[in-house]
Amino acid sequence: HLHCSSLTRGSGGMGLPRLGGQGGKGGDVWVVAQKEMTLKRVKDKYPQKRFIAGVGTNSSVRALRGQKGEDQEVLAPPGITVTNDDGMVLGKLNTEGDRVLVARGGQGGSYHSEFLPSKGQSRQIRLDLKLIADLGLVGFPNAGKSSLLTALSHAKPQIASYAFTTLRPEIGKVMYEDHKQISVADLPGLIEGAHMNRGMGHQFLKHVERTRQLLFVVDVCGFQLASKTPFRSAFEAVQLLIKELELYKEDLPCKPAVLVVNKMDLPDAEDKLSKLQEQLLNPHEFSHLLPDDMLPKNNMVFRHVVPISAATGFGIAHLKTCIRQSLDKDASMATDSLHRDKLQALRGAVPAKNTLTWGPTASV
């Protein structure tokens, strides 16, 4: 969730009693869908954490009817549901350009109000991005994503259809002894050039945005997509995956991520894993392995690098532990942040009605 506090609409302008002039209406506050936005960008774009629409102008001899105050637009990604603090849905942003009115401007002063304007309204809202899963599996074809999902969830993955695309990711549930459930989405296979919409490109990358964290899956022995395409080592596959995410939306690689190195049952897997770990520690020293335009701008630091074999079950228990730790860490950080914001508001350091706080969860 993005827990945005008060959006304050503009007050109306003063009326002019002696000439019957009407003050301008205050500006409105809208939440508007823009596909380039992510929740992280919303947070970065509006660090001041308050949104105030313009005040209507007063009626005057020169302009008996005052001008409307300027509207304030808050940009947010498509897929957002806008609710108030009580959970009432104010509107949904399904596609680019959709708009939800969250605070109407105050009325300008007129004969009916003794020429006094009404004040702007303050409102607390939440921006909820509907997630499809806690974790999204990211990998090139044949990395073993489906096998991994089956091994993690001990069940045939549930097929779920989502209205926002025609593709149907497979969702599996990872169960823990304390009954905690974590959802994992096996997203359609990524190929080089996905950001240019080759293959299932954009639909795949749109799903990636709607998971809390990423689970990169690579074949320890590398892969070759087709006879005409070059062979890629595990390290090169990781770099290319990061690059594809980055080209689609620059801050996607900022998501927390775990790297799964699959097929450890194959010959020479241990040696290849050691080489990959060395390359990941010093990626700049191995940047010559890929053309410049295939290198990501920034290196991704994985929270865990976990060797497994989906075929034999090796490493699966350890992977489940790492996944749980990574998700719990983020939930704890988000809760701490929310508590700090609430304390600050209670102390009066920031007026509660003008505070933008970030809630601890997103709905799945």
Side-chain angles (χ1 to χ4, degrees):
H1 292 314
L2 203 50
H3 183 192
C4 307
S5 128
S6 296
L7 307 183
T8 308
R9 67 183 183 186
S11 297
M14 294 286 290
L16 188 64
R18 64 190 174 92
L19 295 176
Q22 185 169 343
K25 182 180 177 292
D28 303 322
V29 182
W30 297 81
V31 181
V32 182
Q34 187 184 69
K35 64 183 177 186
E36 286 77 23
M37 291 300 287
T38 61
L39 286 186
K40 179 180 182 299
R41 285 188 187 176
V42 175
K43 192 174 176 181
D44 293 345
K45 186 176 172 67
Y46 307 110
Q48 81 286 6
K49 300 185 179 181
R50 60 187 290 181
F51 307 88
I52 302 176
V55 175
T57 62
N58 296 335
S59 171
S60 67
V61 175
R62 287 187 174 180
L64 284 180
R65 191 176 186 86
Q67 284 190 327
K68 184 179 185 290
E70 191 175 347
D71 288 352
Q72 169 77 275
E73 292 188 347
V74 182
L75 301 178
I80 288 283
T81 300
V82 185
T83 61
N84 66 11
D85 250 7
D86 298 327
M88 186 179 87
V89 175
L90 303 177
K92 295 184 178 182
L93 305 174
N94 293 318
T95 55
E96 167 94 0
D98 283 359
R99 301 163 66 82
V100 174
L101 179 62
V102 290
R104 288 186 188 278
Q107 292 300 320
S110 67
Y111 173 79
H112 301 289
S113 65
E114 298 181 340
F115 299 97
L116 294 174
S118 59
K119 287 185 178 177
Q121 171 205 36
S122 288
R123 186 180 230 165
Q124 296 205 349
I125 66 164
R126 297 173 77 93
L127 303 181
D128 291 328
L129 181 63
K130 184 68 178 172
L131 298 183
I132 60 166
D134 296 306
L135 289 168
L137 296 180
V138 177
F140 290 121
N142 305 320
K145 298 198 284 31
S146 297
S147 311
L148 171 59
L149 187 62
T150 304
L152 277 174
S153 56
H154 296 294
K156 190 172 182 226
Q158 304 159 18
I159 305 293
S161 181
Y162 292 91
F164 52 81
T165 79
T166 54
L167 290 177
R168 307 202 308 179
E170 293 185 354
I171 310 290
K173 295 278 184 186
V174 184
M175 306 291 291
Y176 290 86
E177 286 181 4
D178 62 355
H179 304 296
K180 166 84 172 175
Q181 290 187 22
I182 287 172
S183 53
V184 185
D186 177 17
L187 307 169
L190 192 59
I191 63 169
E192 287 180 41
H195 69 281
M196 295 164 63
N197 222 3
R198 288 190 196 138
M200 295 175 177
H202 275 191
Q203 292 101 317
F204 167 86
L205 291 160
K206 190 154 58 171
H207 286 311
V208 171
E209 288 183 89
R210 299 192 177 194
T211 59
R212 287 184 212 282
Q213 299 192 2
L214 302 178
L215 207 59
F216 278 60
V217 187
V218 295
D219 180 336
V220 69
C221 296
F223 84 105
Q224 187 170 13
L225 194 58
S227 56
K228 292 179 182 175
T229 59
F231 173 81
R232 303 293 187 196
S233 69
F235 172 72
E236 289 168 322
V238 171
Q239 300 303 300
L240 288 166
L241 288 169
I242 298 169
K243 184 67 176 177
E244 284 297 332
L245 297 185
E246 189 179 84
L247 286 169
Y248 174 70
K249 203 162 275 189
E250 205 164 318
D251 52 11
L252 266 186
C254 297
K255 273 186 185 285
V258 171
L259 175 60
V260 177
V261 186
N262 193 16
K263 306 191 183 179
M264 289 300 296
D265 52 304
L266 295 178
D268 303 324
E270 287 294 338
D271 291 342
K272 285 174 177 159
L273 174 67
S274 299
K275 186 175 182 183
L276 172 61
Q277 288 171 323
E278 181 196 350
Q279 290 171 320
L280 289 171
L281 282 172
N282 307 290
H284 291 302
E285 290 182 24
F286 299 93
S287 57
H288 63 275
L289 296 171
L290 285 166
D292 287 347
D293 62 348
M294 289 189 178
L295 289 170
K297 285 184 189 172
N298 298 300
N299 289 312
M300 202 162 179
V301 178
F302 293 99
R303 288 189 173 175
H304 304 277
V305 177
V306 188
I308 66 144
S309 167
T312 68
F314 163 75
I316 296 294
H318 178 54
L319 175 59
K320 285 176 71 170
T321 303
C322 292
I323 288 169
R324 179 75 182 266
Q325 284 175 353
S326 186
L327 284 163
D328 286 352
K329 177 182 175 182
D330 274 10
S332 171
M333 282 163 58
T335 305
D336 290 348
S337 171
L338 187 62
H339 286 166
R340 277 198 305 274
D341 283 341
K342 285 186 173 175
L343 273 174
Q344 196 176 23
L346 284 170
R347 288 175 184 149
V350 176
K353 70 173 190 175
N354 286 332
T355 307
L356 178 57
T357 52
W358 317 104
T361 59
S363 55
V364 176

